[in-house]
Every structure is written in C-alpha cells, then in structure tokens.
Amino acid sequence: METVLMNLSLELAVATALVVLTIFIHLGGIALLLALLRRHRGRRTVRTLWHEGLGILGAAGGLFVLHALEIWLYAGFYIAVEALRSFEAALYFSTSSYTTVGYGDVVLDERWRLLGAIEGANGLILLGWSTAFFVAIVGRIRGLENEVQALP
C-alpha cells in the first residue's frame, strides 16, 4: 500500500511538472506568434486579403509546431522512464493521448498510466486555447473583408 502511494505521488508530481511546463511553452509560443503577427501586419500600410492570409498560414503553422513540441516532450518522458519501448510508440501514444483520440492499441506501463490520462486533459485545454487564438486571428480577416466590400 505504501509503495502504491509513493508511486502515485511521484506520478502526480511528474504530471504537474509536465502540465506546468507545457502551459509555459504554450504561453511563450502564443506570445511569440502574436509578436510576429503584429510585426507582419505593421510592415504594410495597405492590408490585403493575401497579406492577411499569409498571417493566418503562419499562425496555423506556428500552432502546429507548438503542439508538436508539447507532444514530443511527453513522448521523450515516456522513453526516459521506459514506460514505452520505442520512440515511435511513445510519439504515437502521446499524439493520440494529447489529441484525446486515445485508440488504446498502445498502452503505458502501469506505473505511468495516470500520466497518459492527464496528458489528454492537458492537450484538450491547450488545443482549446489554440482554437480560441486561431479564431481570433481569422476574425481579423472577416473585418478586412467587410472593409473591402464597403469600398466604392
């Protein structure tokens, strides 16, 4: 019983550390994307749909890279503690957990299975945060479309 509590405490401590780390990675990444988008937008005196479209593509690519980093962080941890046998399996498991797809054909070592579930909750929140950010960016194009349509 005492060993189980020690393992659970360790697993929860690691999960907390990984969640906090991924949140800071995400916060830093979104702040960087915002700075780049402002810089991109400020270079032009005349905004065009093409110009705004490039900003949206950059934001989408940046968000994808952010999520990939976070997924790889979890996968690297699974390999480091030998919760899975290969990096391919760790990356596959991490991706399916993070995106909450959760196929179940690859499972973690019993000592770390709670971490896999917490990764799913973490991924859900971070994907939601990215979705809100992306919707706000795309909303800027709507405003530009309305401006263009209002021109004589």
Side-chain angles (χ1 to χ4, degrees), residues 7-21 74 77-78 81 112 115 118:
N7 288 341
L8 181 61
S9 297
L10 174 63
E11 191 174 9
L12 290 173
V14 167
T16 300
L18 285 170
V19 166
V20 168
L21 185 56
Y74 275 97
F77 179 82
Y78 298 142
V81 298
W112 297 104
L115 179 59
I118 291 172

Side-chain angles (χ1 to χ4, degrees), residues 77-88:
F77 179 82
Y78 298 142
I79 287 300
V81 298
E82 299 177 351
L84 292 165
R85 295 189 186 273
S86 71
F87 187 70
E88 186 275 334

